[in-house]
Amino acid sequence: ARAAACTGVLARRWRNLWIHLPGLIFHDVPVGKVQAALTRVARRRAGMSVSALDIRLARSVPPEAARHDEALAKKLLRKAVRLSPEELIFVLPRSSISKPGRRVEITMPCFLRATSIELDTYFIQIQPPANQILHALERLSLSGNIVDIGACLNQCPRLRVLRVTFRGVSPVLLEESLTALEAAVALGLTVSLLRIEFDLYNGGHTADGAQFASLLHVAARVSPQELVLVNSFNEYFTAELPCFPRTKSIEMWLCSVCFTQVTEDKFLALERLSLQRYRCTILDLDNMVARCPRLRVLKVNADRSAQVVTIRSTSLQ
């Protein structure tokens, strides 16, 4: 869009040609300028839709500017509905959460023609669409403080693939969300990514050992294609690693979590296992690898008490 707009200086009749592009991409552009551009597009293309709308807003460092950006971002999403894109990407930068006061809430707009939506708002609370059905939506990616993922899925009857990142969600609500995902997977939904972030430093929640173990077992029943767990726990605890039968990649950035037991079942699809950060390990590493017949990549901290680590595998590269 930027290059097309620049050609407008060459001839007056070219000035608004960029407005008629089938796809509009705004990367690292302030929210006010994006809003002005979409207003021009909507005014000159009344009743016409765009095939793709990709908005990744520029960062605002001062907290007061970030709060202003979030308020404008909510209006921007509503304005984007008027363009009725078939594919939408909307990313609000992480820096916009560095502010005091009540957390901003964004209701997921109803894009009636959209077949693919990616909405990334970091810790901003995402509400499901208000009593509207997204009949065309087939692929959905949500990142943020997601509220009632079950209601959102119920309003997307044709949804086939879901990527979801939970940030700043309490363990109780998170377990409810994972249970809803489990039910949707049983009906044919593919969860290509399940990412869970416990971040105490951004107003998030923590979990004790029992809560973490319970969440892990529910996530195992969802068995996403890719699983990522991130925490900033202060407390050291142990847990059992349940089986993820359909998961190809497991990445854990955990502080002070030791997996002392591994399920007897096999991780038949697992190709990549990565355990990072301080005191995050698996005690019986050889037993774990033996239960992963397709494991190619292994990145793990050995137990501090281990003098000798033995791993037997015909698949590791």
Side-chain angles (χ1 to χ4, degrees), residues 171-260:
V172 174
L173 294 179
L174 183 55
E175 187 158 349
E176 292 178 1
S177 295
L178 294 180
T179 302
L181 286 182
E182 179 187 357
V185 168
L187 295 176
L189 177 69
T190 296
V191 180
S192 60
L193 169 67
L194 173 60
R195 182 182 179 106
I196 301 173
E197 298 182 8
F198 296 97
D199 195 335
L200 295 174
Y201 306 110
N202 287 289
H205 300 267
T206 186
D208 58 28
Q211 289 173 325
F212 180 77
S214 179
L215 289 172
L216 204 58
H217 278 81
V218 181
R221 294 196 293 271
V222 175
S223 195
Q225 292 181 347
E226 181 181 356
L227 172 71
V228 181
L229 295 178
V230 181
N231 78 6
S232 56
F233 295 163
N234 296 320
E235 178 186 358
Y236 176 82
F237 53 78
T238 60
E240 177 191 15
L241 184 60
C243 181
F244 291 78
R246 297 183 298 274
T247 302
K248 296 181 180 180
S249 173
I250 295 177
E251 185 175 347
M252 299 187 183
W253 292 81
L254 304 176
C255 290
S256 303
V257 177
C258 179
F259 295 100
T260 56

Coordinates of all heavy atoms in Angstrom, one line a residue, residues 171-260:
P171 N -6.0 -20.2 36.4 CA -6.0 -21.6 36.2 C -7.4 -22.2 36.1 O -7.7 -23.1 35.4 CB -5.3 -22.2 37.5 CG -4.4 -21.1 37.9 CD -5.1 -19.8 37.6
V172 N -8.4 -21.7 36.9 CA -9.7 -22.2 36.9 C -10.4 -22.0 35.5 O -10.9 -22.9 34.9 CB -10.6 -21.6 38.0 CG1 -12.0 -22.0 37.9 CG2 -10.0 -22.0 39.4
L173 N -10.3 -20.7 35.0 CA -10.9 -20.4 33.7 C -10.1 -21.1 32.6 O -10.7 -21.5 31.6 CB -10.9 -18.9 33.5 CG -11.8 -18.1 34.4 CD1 -11.6 -16.6 34.1 CD2 -13.2 -18.5 34.3
L174 N -8.8 -21.3 32.8 CA -8.0 -21.9 31.8 C -8.4 -23.4 31.6 O -8.5 -23.9 30.5 CB -6.5 -21.8 32.1 CG -5.5 -22.4 31.2 CD1 -5.7 -21.8 29.8 CD2 -4.1 -22.2 31.6
E175 N -8.7 -24.1 32.8 CA -9.1 -25.5 32.7 C -10.5 -25.6 32.0 O -10.7 -26.5 31.3 CB -9.1 -26.1 34.1 CG -9.4 -27.6 34.1 CD -8.9 -28.3 35.3 OE1 -8.2 -27.7 36.1 OE2 -9.3 -29.5 35.5
E176 N -11.4 -24.6 32.3 CA -12.7 -24.6 31.6 C -12.5 -24.5 30.1 O -13.2 -25.1 29.3 CB -13.5 -23.5 32.2 CG -14.0 -23.7 33.6 CD -14.8 -22.5 34.1 OE1 -15.0 -21.6 33.3 OE2 -15.2 -22.6 35.3
S177 N -11.6 -23.6 29.7 CA -11.3 -23.4 28.3 C -10.7 -24.6 27.6 O -11.1 -25.0 26.5 CB -10.4 -22.2 28.1 OG -10.9 -21.0 28.5
L178 N -9.8 -25.3 28.3 CA -9.2 -26.5 27.7 C -10.2 -27.6 27.6 O -10.2 -28.4 26.7 CB -8.0 -27.0 28.6 CG -6.8 -26.0 28.6 CD1 -5.7 -26.6 29.5 CD2 -6.3 -25.8 27.2
T179 N -11.2 -27.7 28.6 CA -12.2 -28.7 28.5 C -13.1 -28.4 27.3 O -13.6 -29.4 26.6 CB -13.1 -28.7 29.8 OG1 -12.2 -28.9 30.9 CG2 -14.2 -29.7 29.8
A180 N -13.4 -27.1 27.0 CA -14.2 -26.8 25.8 C -13.4 -27.2 24.6 O -14.0 -27.6 23.6 CB -14.5 -25.3 25.9
L181 N -12.1 -27.0 24.6 CA -11.3 -27.4 23.4 C -11.3 -28.9 23.2 O -11.4 -29.4 22.1 CB -9.9 -26.9 23.6 CG -9.6 -25.4 23.4 CD1 -8.1 -25.1 23.6 CD2 -10.1 -24.9 22.0
E182 N -11.3 -29.6 24.3 CA -11.3 -31.1 24.2 C -12.6 -31.5 23.6 O -12.6 -32.4 22.7 CB -11.2 -31.7 25.7 CG -11.3 -33.2 25.7 CD -11.4 -33.7 27.1 OE1 -11.3 -32.9 28.1 OE2 -11.5 -34.9 27.2
A183 N -13.8 -30.9 23.9 CA -15.0 -31.3 23.3 C -15.0 -30.9 21.8 O -15.6 -31.7 21.0 CB -16.2 -30.5 24.0
A184 N -14.5 -29.8 21.5 CA -14.4 -29.4 20.0 C -13.5 -30.3 19.2 O -13.8 -30.7 18.1 CB -13.9 -27.9 19.9
V185 N -12.4 -30.8 19.8 CA -11.5 -31.7 19.1 C -12.2 -33.0 18.9 O -12.0 -33.6 17.8 CB -10.2 -31.9 20.0 CG1 -9.4 -33.1 19.4 CG2 -9.4 -30.6 19.9
A186 N -13.0 -33.5 19.8 CA -13.8 -34.7 19.6 C -14.7 -34.6 18.5 O -15.1 -35.6 17.9 CB -14.5 -35.0 20.9
L187 N -15.2 -33.4 18.1 CA -16.1 -33.2 17.0 C -15.4 -32.9 15.7 O -16.0 -32.6 14.7 CB -17.0 -32.0 17.3 CG -18.0 -32.2 18.5 CD1 -18.8 -31.0 18.8 CD2 -18.9 -33.4 18.2
G188 N -14.0 -32.9 15.7 CA -13.3 -32.8 14.5 C -12.4 -31.6 14.3 O -11.7 -31.4 13.3
L189 N -12.3 -30.7 15.3 CA -11.5 -29.5 15.3 C -10.0 -29.9 15.4 O -9.7 -30.7 16.3 CB -11.9 -28.5 16.4 CG -11.0 -27.2 16.5 CD1 -11.3 -26.3 15.3 CD2 -11.3 -26.5 17.8
T190 N -9.1 -29.3 14.6 CA -7.7 -29.5 14.8 C -7.1 -28.3 15.5 O -7.2 -27.1 15.0 CB -7.0 -29.6 13.4 OG1 -7.5 -30.8 12.7 CG2 -5.5 -29.7 13.5
V191 N -6.5 -28.5 16.6 CA -5.8 -27.4 17.4 C -4.3 -27.5 16.9 O -3.5 -28.4 17.4 CB -5.9 -27.6 18.9 CG1 -5.1 -26.5 19.6 CG2 -7.3 -27.6 19.3
S192 N -3.9 -26.6 16.0 CA -2.5 -26.7 15.5 C -1.5 -26.1 16.5 O -0.3 -26.5 16.5 CB -2.4 -25.9 14.2 OG -2.8 -24.6 14.3
L193 N -1.9 -25.2 17.3 CA -1.0 -24.7 18.4 C -1.8 -24.4 19.6 O -2.9 -23.8 19.6 CB -0.4 -23.3 17.9 CG 0.4 -22.6 19.0 CD1 1.6 -23.3 19.5 CD2 0.7 -21.2 18.5
L194 N -1.3 -24.9 20.8 CA -1.8 -24.5 22.1 C -0.7 -24.0 22.9 O 0.3 -24.7 23.2 CB -2.4 -25.8 22.8 CG -2.8 -25.5 24.3 CD1 -3.9 -24.4 24.4 CD2 -3.3 -26.9 24.9
R195 N -0.7 -22.7 23.2 CA 0.3 -22.0 24.0 C -0.3 -21.4 25.2 O -1.3 -20.7 25.2 CB 1.0 -20.9 23.1 CG 2.2 -20.2 23.9 CD 2.8 -19.1 23.0 NE 3.8 -18.4 23.7 CZ 5.1 -18.6 23.4 NH1 5.5 -19.4 22.4 NH2 6.0 -17.9 24.1
I196 N 0.3 -21.7 26.4 CA -0.2 -21.3 27.7 C 1.0 -20.5 28.3 O 2.1 -21.1 28.5 CB -0.7 -22.4 28.6 CG1 -1.8 -23.2 27.9 CG2 -1.1 -21.9 29.9 CD1 -2.2 -24.4 28.6
E197 N 0.7 -19.2 28.7 CA 1.7 -18.4 29.4 C 1.2 -18.0 30.7 O 0.2 -17.3 30.8 CB 2.1 -17.2 28.5 CG 2.6 -17.5 27.1 CD 3.0 -16.3 26.3 OE1 2.9 -15.2 26.9 OE2 3.3 -16.4 25.1
F198 N 2.0 -18.4 31.8 CA 1.8 -17.9 33.1 C 2.8 -16.8 33.3 O 4.0 -17.1 33.5 CB 1.9 -19.0 34.2 CG 0.9 -20.0 34.1 CD1 1.1 -21.2 33.4 CD2 -0.4 -19.9 34.6 CE1 0.2 -22.2 33.3 CE2 -1.4 -20.9 34.5 CZ -1.1 -22.1 33.9
D199 N 2.4 -15.6 33.4 CA 3.4 -14.5 33.6 C 3.0 -13.6 34.7 O 2.1 -12.7 34.7 CB 3.4 -13.6 32.3 CG 4.7 -12.7 32.2 OD1 5.2 -12.4 33.3 OD2 5.1 -12.4 31.1
L200 N 3.7 -13.8 35.9 CA 3.4 -13.0 37.1 C 3.8 -11.5 36.9 O 3.2 -10.7 37.6 CB 4.2 -13.6 38.3 CG 3.8 -15.0 38.7 CD1 4.7 -15.5 39.8 CD2 2.4 -15.0 39.2
Y201 N 4.7 -11.2 36.0 CA 5.2 -9.9 35.9 C 4.4 -8.9 35.1 O 4.6 -7.8 34.9 CB 6.6 -9.9 35.4 CG 7.5 -10.8 36.1 CD1 8.0 -12.0 35.6 CD2 7.9 -10.5 37.5 CE1 8.8 -12.9 36.3 CE2 8.7 -11.4 38.2 CZ 9.1 -12.5 37.6 OH 9.9 -13.4 38.4
N202 N 3.3 -9.5 34.5 CA 2.4 -8.6 33.7 C 0.9 -8.8 34.2 O 0.0 -8.8 33.4 CB 2.5 -9.0 32.2 CG 3.8 -8.5 31.6 OD1 4.0 -7.3 31.4 ND2 4.7 -9.4 31.3
G203 N 0.8 -8.9 35.5 CA -0.6 -9.0 36.0 C -1.2 -10.4 35.8 O -2.5 -10.5 35.9
G204 N -0.5 -11.4 35.5 CA -1.0 -12.7 35.2 C -1.2 -13.5 36.5 O -1.2 -13.0 37.6
H205 N -1.5 -14.8 36.3 CA -1.7 -15.7 37.4 C -0.6 -16.8 37.5 O 0.0 -17.1 36.5 CB -3.1 -16.4 37.2 CG -4.2 -15.4 37.2 ND1 -5.0 -15.0 38.3 CD2 -4.8 -14.7 36.1 CE1 -5.9 -14.2 38.0 NE2 -5.8 -14.0 36.6
T206 N -0.5 -17.4 38.7 CA 0.4 -18.5 38.8 C -0.5 -19.8 39.1 O -1.7 -19.7 39.2 CB 1.3 -18.3 40.0 OG1 2.3 -19.4 40.0 CG2 0.6 -18.2 41.3
A207 N 0.2 -20.9 39.2 CA -0.5 -22.1 39.5 C 0.3 -23.0 40.5 O 1.5 -23.0 40.3 CB -0.8 -22.9 38.2
D208 N -0.3 -23.7 41.4 CA 0.4 -24.6 42.3 C 0.7 -25.9 41.6 O 0.2 -26.1 40.4 CB -0.2 -24.7 43.6 CG -1.7 -25.3 43.5 OD1 -1.9 -26.0 42.5 OD2 -2.5 -25.0 44.4
G209 N 1.3 -26.8 42.2 CA 1.6 -28.1 41.6 C 0.4 -28.9 41.2 O 0.4 -29.5 40.1
A210 N -0.6 -28.9 42.0 CA -1.8 -29.7 41.7 C -2.6 -29.0 40.5 O -3.0 -29.8 39.6 CB -2.8 -29.7 42.9
Q211 N -2.6 -27.7 40.5 CA -3.3 -27.0 39.3 C -2.5 -27.3 38.1 O -3.1 -27.5 37.0 CB -3.4 -25.6 39.6 CG -4.4 -25.2 40.7 CD -4.4 -23.8 41.1 OE1 -3.3 -23.1 41.1 NE2 -5.6 -23.2 41.4
F212 N -1.2 -27.2 38.1 CA -0.4 -27.4 36.9 C -0.6 -28.8 36.4 O -0.7 -29.0 35.2 CB 1.1 -27.1 37.3 CG 2.0 -27.3 36.1 CD1 2.1 -26.3 35.1 CD2 2.8 -28.4 36.0 CE1 2.9 -26.5 34.0 CE2 3.6 -28.6 34.9 CZ 3.7 -27.6 33.9
A213 N -0.6 -29.8 37.3 CA -0.7 -31.2 36.9 C -2.1 -31.4 36.2 O -2.2 -32.1 35.2 CB -0.5 -32.1 38.1
S214 N -3.1 -30.8 36.8 CA -4.5 -30.9 36.3 C -4.6 -30.3 34.9 O -5.1 -30.9 33.9 CB -5.5 -30.3 37.2 OG -6.8 -30.4 36.7
L215 N -4.0 -29.1 34.7 CA -4.0 -28.4 33.4 C -3.3 -29.2 32.4 O -3.7 -29.3 31.2 CB -3.4 -27.0 33.5 CG -4.2 -26.0 34.3 CD1 -3.4 -24.7 34.5 CD2 -5.5 -25.7 33.5
L216 N -2.2 -29.9 32.8 CA -1.4 -30.6 31.9 C -2.1 -31.8 31.3 O -2.0 -32.2 30.2 CB -0.1 -31.1 32.6 CG 1.1 -31.4 31.7 CD1 1.5 -30.2 30.8 CD2 2.3 -31.8 32.5
H217 N -2.9 -32.5 32.2 CA -3.6 -33.7 31.8 C -4.8 -33.3 30.9 O -5.1 -34.0 29.9 CB -4.2 -34.4 33.0 CG -3.2 -35.3 33.7 ND1 -2.2 -34.9 34.5 CD2 -3.0 -36.7 33.5 CE1 -1.4 -35.9 34.9 NE2 -1.9 -37.0 34.3
V218 N -5.4 -32.1 31.1 CA -6.5 -31.7 30.2 C -5.9 -31.3 28.8 O -6.5 -31.7 27.8 CB -7.3 -30.5 30.8 CG1 -8.4 -30.1 29.8 CG2 -7.9 -30.9 32.1
A219 N -4.8 -30.7 28.9 CA -4.1 -30.3 27.6 C -3.7 -31.6 26.8 O -3.7 -31.6 25.6 CB -2.9 -29.4 27.9
A220 N -3.3 -32.6 27.5 CA -3.0 -33.9 26.9 C -4.1 -34.5 26.1 O -4.0 -35.1 25.1 CB -2.4 -34.9 27.9
R221 N -5.3 -34.3 26.7 CA -6.5 -34.8 26.0 C -6.9 -34.0 24.8 O -7.4 -34.5 23.8 CB -7.7 -34.8 27.0 CG -7.5 -35.8 28.1 CD -8.8 -36.1 28.9 NE -9.4 -35.0 29.6 CZ -9.1 -34.7 30.8 NH1 -8.2 -35.4 31.5 NH2 -9.6 -33.6 31.4
V222 N -6.5 -32.7 24.8 CA -6.7 -31.9 23.6 C -5.6 -32.3 22.6 O -5.9 -32.3 21.4 CB -6.5 -30.4 23.9 CG1 -6.5 -29.5 22.7 CG2 -7.5 -29.9 24.9
S223 N -4.4 -32.6 23.0 CA -3.3 -33.1 22.2 C -3.1 -32.3 20.9 O -3.3 -32.8 19.8 CB -3.6 -34.6 21.8 OG -2.4 -35.2 21.3
P224 N -2.7 -31.0 21.1 CA -2.5 -30.2 19.9 C -1.3 -30.6 19.1 O -0.5 -31.4 19.6 CB -2.2 -28.8 20.5 CG -1.6 -29.1 21.8 CD -2.3 -30.4 22.3
Q225 N -1.3 -30.2 17.8 CA -0.1 -30.5 17.0 C 1.2 -29.9 17.6 O 2.2 -30.5 17.5 CB -0.3 -30.0 15.6 CG -1.4 -30.8 14.8 CD -1.6 -30.3 13.4 OE1 -1.1 -29.2 13.1 NE2 -2.4 -31.0 12.6
E226 N 1.1 -28.7 18.2 CA 2.2 -28.1 18.8 C 1.8 -27.6 20.2 O 0.8 -26.9 20.3 CB 2.7 -26.9 17.9 CG 3.9 -26.2 18.5 CD 4.4 -25.1 17.6 OE1 3.8 -24.9 16.5 OE2 5.3 -24.3 18.0
L227 N 2.6 -27.9 21.2 CA 2.3 -27.4 22.6 C 3.5 -26.6 23.1 O 4.6 -27.0 23.0 CB 2.1 -28.6 23.5 CG 2.0 -28.3 25.0 CD1 0.7 -27.6 25.3 CD2 2.1 -29.5 25.9
V228 N 3.1 -25.4 23.6 CA 4.2 -24.5 24.2 C 3.7 -24.1 25.6 O 2.5 -23.5 25.7 CB 4.4 -23.2 23.4 CG1 5.5 -22.4 24.0 CG2 4.9 -23.6 22.0
L229 N 4.5 -24.3 26.6 CA 4.1 -23.9 28.0 C 5.2 -22.9 28.5 O 6.4 -23.2 28.3 CB 4.1 -25.1 28.9 CG 2.9 -26.1 28.7 CD1 3.0 -27.2 29.7 CD2 1.6 -25.4 28.7
V230 N 4.8 -21.8 29.1 CA 5.8 -20.8 29.6 C 5.3 -20.4 31.0 O 4.1 -20.1 31.2 CB 5.8 -19.5 28.7 CG1 6.8 -18.5 29.2 CG2 6.2 -19.9 27.2
N231 N 6.2 -20.3 31.9 CA 5.8 -19.8 33.2 C 7.0 -19.0 33.9 O 8.1 -18.9 33.4 CB 5.4 -21.0 34.2 CG 6.6 -21.7 34.7 OD1 7.8 -21.4 34.5 ND2 6.4 -22.8 35.4
S232 N 6.6 -18.3 35.0 CA 7.6 -17.6 35.8 C 7.4 -18.0 37.2 O 7.4 -17.1 38.1 CB 7.5 -16.1 35.6 OG 6.2 -15.7 35.8
F233 N 7.2 -19.3 37.5 CA 6.9 -19.7 38.9 C 8.1 -19.5 39.8 O 9.2 -19.6 39.4 CB 6.6 -21.2 38.9 CG 5.3 -21.6 38.1 CD1 5.0 -22.9 37.7 CD2 4.4 -20.6 37.8 CE1 3.9 -23.2 37.0 CE2 3.2 -21.0 37.1 CZ 3.0 -22.3 36.7
N234 N 7.7 -19.2 41.0 CA 8.8 -19.1 42.0 C 8.9 -20.4 42.8 O 10.0 -20.6 43.5 CB 8.4 -17.9 43.0 CG 8.5 -16.6 42.3 OD1 9.3 -16.3 41.5 ND2 7.5 -15.7 42.6
E235 N 7.9 -21.2 42.9 CA 7.8 -22.4 43.7 C 8.3 -23.6 42.8 O 7.9 -23.8 41.7 CB 6.4 -22.6 44.2 CG 6.3 -23.9 45.0 CD 4.8 -24.2 45.4 OE1 3.9 -23.3 45.0 OE2 4.5 -25.2 46.0
Y236 N 9.1 -24.4 43.5 CA 9.6 -25.7 42.8 C 8.6 -26.8 43.1 O 8.2 -27.0 44.2 CB 11.0 -26.1 43.3 CG 11.5 -27.4 42.8 CD1 12.1 -27.4 41.5 CD2 11.4 -28.5 43.5 CE1 12.6 -28.6 41.0 CE2 11.9 -29.7 43.0 CZ 12.5 -29.8 41.8 OH 12.9 -31.0 41.3
F237 N 8.2 -27.5 42.0 CA 7.4 -28.7 42.3 C 7.6 -29.7 41.2 O 8.2 -29.5 40.1 CB 5.9 -28.3 42.3 CG 5.4 -27.5 41.2 CD1 5.1 -28.1 40.0 CD2 5.1 -26.1 41.3 CE1 4.6 -27.4 38.9 CE2 4.6 -25.4 40.2 CZ 4.4 -26.0 39.0
T238 N 7.1 -30.9 41.5 CA 7.3 -32.1 40.6 C 5.9 -32.4 39.9 O 4.8 -32.0 40.4 CB 7.8 -33.3 41.3 OG1 6.8 -33.7 42.3 CG2 9.1 -33.0 41.9
A239 N 6.0 -33.1 38.8 CA 4.7 -33.4 38.1 C 4.9 -34.7 37.2 O 6.1 -35.1 37.0 CB 4.3 -32.2 37.2
E240 N 3.8 -35.3 36.8 CA 3.9 -36.4 35.9 C 3.7 -35.8 34.5 O 2.8 -34.9 34.3 CB 2.8 -37.4 36.2 CG 2.8 -38.5 35.2 CD 1.5 -39.4 35.3 OE1 0.6 -39.0 36.0 OE2 1.5 -40.5 34.7
L241 N 4.4 -36.3 33.5 CA 4.2 -35.9 32.1 C 3.3 -36.9 31.4 O 3.7 -38.0 31.1 CB 5.6 -35.9 31.4 CG 5.5 -35.3 29.9 CD1 5.0 -33.9 29.9 CD2 6.9 -35.4 29.3
P242 N 2.0 -36.4 31.1 CA 1.1 -37.4 30.5 C 1.4 -37.5 29.0 O 2.2 -36.8 28.4 CB -0.3 -36.7 30.7 CG 0.1 -35.2 30.8 CD 1.4 -35.1 31.5
C243 N 0.7 -38.4 28.3 CA 1.0 -38.6 26.9 C 0.2 -37.7 26.1 O -1.0 -37.4 26.3 CB 0.6 -40.1 26.6 SG 0.9 -40.5 24.9
F244 N 0.8 -37.1 25.0 CA 0.2 -36.3 24.0 C 0.3 -37.1 22.7 O 1.3 -37.0 22.0 CB 1.0 -35.0 23.9 CG 0.8 -34.1 25.1 CD1 1.5 -34.3 26.2 CD2 -0.1 -33.0 25.0 CE1 1.4 -33.4 27.3 CE2 -0.2 -32.2 26.1 CZ 0.5 -32.4 27.3
P245 N -0.7 -37.9 22.4 CA -0.6 -38.9 21.3 C -0.5 -38.3 19.9 O 0.1 -38.9 19.0 CB -1.9 -39.7 21.4 CG -2.9 -38.8 22.2 CD -2.0 -38.0 23.1
R246 N -1.1 -37.1 19.7 CA -1.1 -36.5 18.3 C -0.1 -35.3 18.2 O 0.0 -34.6 17.2 CB -2.5 -36.0 17.9 CG -3.5 -37.1 17.8 CD -4.8 -36.6 17.4 NE -5.4 -35.7 18.3 CZ -6.1 -36.0 19.4 NH1 -6.3 -37.3 19.6 NH2 -6.6 -35.1 20.2
T247 N 0.6 -34.9 19.3 CA 1.4 -33.7 19.3 C 2.8 -34.0 18.7 O 3.5 -35.0 19.0 CB 1.6 -33.3 20.8 OG1 0.4 -33.0 21.3 CG2 2.5 -32.0 20.8
K248 N 3.2 -33.1 17.7 CA 4.4 -33.3 17.0 C 5.6 -32.5 17.7 O 6.7 -32.9 17.5 CB 4.3 -32.8 15.6 CG 3.3 -33.6 14.7 CD 3.2 -33.1 13.3 CE 2.3 -33.9 12.5 NZ 2.2 -33.4 11.1
S249 N 5.2 -31.4 18.4 CA 6.3 -30.6 19.0 C 5.8 -30.2 20.4 O 4.7 -29.7 20.6 CB 6.6 -29.4 18.2 OG 7.5 -28.5 18.8
I250 N 6.7 -30.4 21.4 CA 6.5 -29.9 22.8 C 7.6 -29.0 23.2 O 8.8 -29.4 23.1 CB 6.4 -31.1 23.8 CG1 5.1 -31.9 23.5 CG2 6.3 -30.6 25.2 CD1 5.0 -33.2 24.4
E251 N 7.3 -27.8 23.5 CA 8.3 -26.8 24.0 C 7.9 -26.2 25.3 O 6.8 -25.7 25.4 CB 8.5 -25.7 22.9 CG 9.6 -24.7 23.2 CD 9.8 -23.7 22.1 OE1 9.2 -23.9 21.0 OE2 10.5 -22.7 22.3
M252 N 8.7 -26.4 26.3 CA 8.4 -25.9 27.6 C 9.5 -25.0 28.2 O 10.6 -25.4 28.3 CB 8.2 -27.1 28.6 CG 7.1 -28.0 28.2 SD 6.8 -29.3 29.5 CE 5.5 -30.3 28.8
W253 N 9.1 -23.8 28.5 CA 10.0 -22.8 29.1 C 9.5 -22.6 30.5 O 8.7 -21.7 30.8 CB 9.9 -21.4 28.3 CG 10.5 -21.5 27.0 CD1 9.9 -22.0 25.8 CD2 11.8 -21.2 26.6 NE1 10.8 -22.0 24.8 CE2 11.9 -21.4 25.2 CE3 12.9 -20.6 27.2 CZ2 13.1 -21.2 24.5 CZ3 14.1 -20.4 26.5 CH2 14.2 -20.6 25.2
L254 N 9.9 -23.5 31.4 CA 9.4 -23.6 32.7 C 10.5 -23.4 33.8 O 11.6 -23.9 33.6 CB 8.7 -25.0 33.0 CG 7.6 -25.4 32.0 CD1 7.1 -26.8 32.3 CD2 6.5 -24.4 32.1
C255 N 10.1 -22.7 34.8 CA 11.1 -22.5 36.0 C 10.7 -23.5 37.0 O 9.6 -23.6 37.5 CB 10.9 -21.1 36.5 SG 11.6 -19.8 35.5
S256 N 11.7 -24.3 37.4 CA 11.6 -25.2 38.6 C 10.4 -26.2 38.5 O 9.6 -26.3 39.5 CB 11.4 -24.3 39.9 OG 12.5 -23.4 40.0
V257 N 10.4 -26.9 37.4 CA 9.4 -28.0 37.3 C 10.2 -29.2 36.9 O 10.9 -29.2 35.9 CB 8.3 -27.6 36.2 CG1 7.4 -28.8 36.0 CG2 7.5 -26.4 36.6
C258 N 10.0 -30.3 37.7 CA 10.7 -31.5 37.4 C 9.7 -32.6 37.1 O 8.8 -32.9 37.9 CB 11.6 -31.9 38.6 SG 12.5 -33.4 38.3
F259 N 9.8 -33.2 36.0 CA 8.9 -34.3 35.6 C 9.6 -35.6 36.1 O 10.5 -36.1 35.6 CB 8.7 -34.4 34.1 CG 8.0 -33.2 33.6 CD1 8.6 -32.2 33.0 CD2 6.6 -33.1 33.7 CE1 8.0 -31.1 32.5 CE2 5.9 -32.0 33.3 CZ 6.6 -31.0 32.6
T260 N 9.0 -36.1 37.3 CA 9.6 -37.3 37.9 C 9.0 -38.6 37.4 O 9.6 -39.6 37.6 CB 9.3 -37.2 39.4 OG1 7.9 -37.1 39.7 CG2 10.0 -36.0 40.1

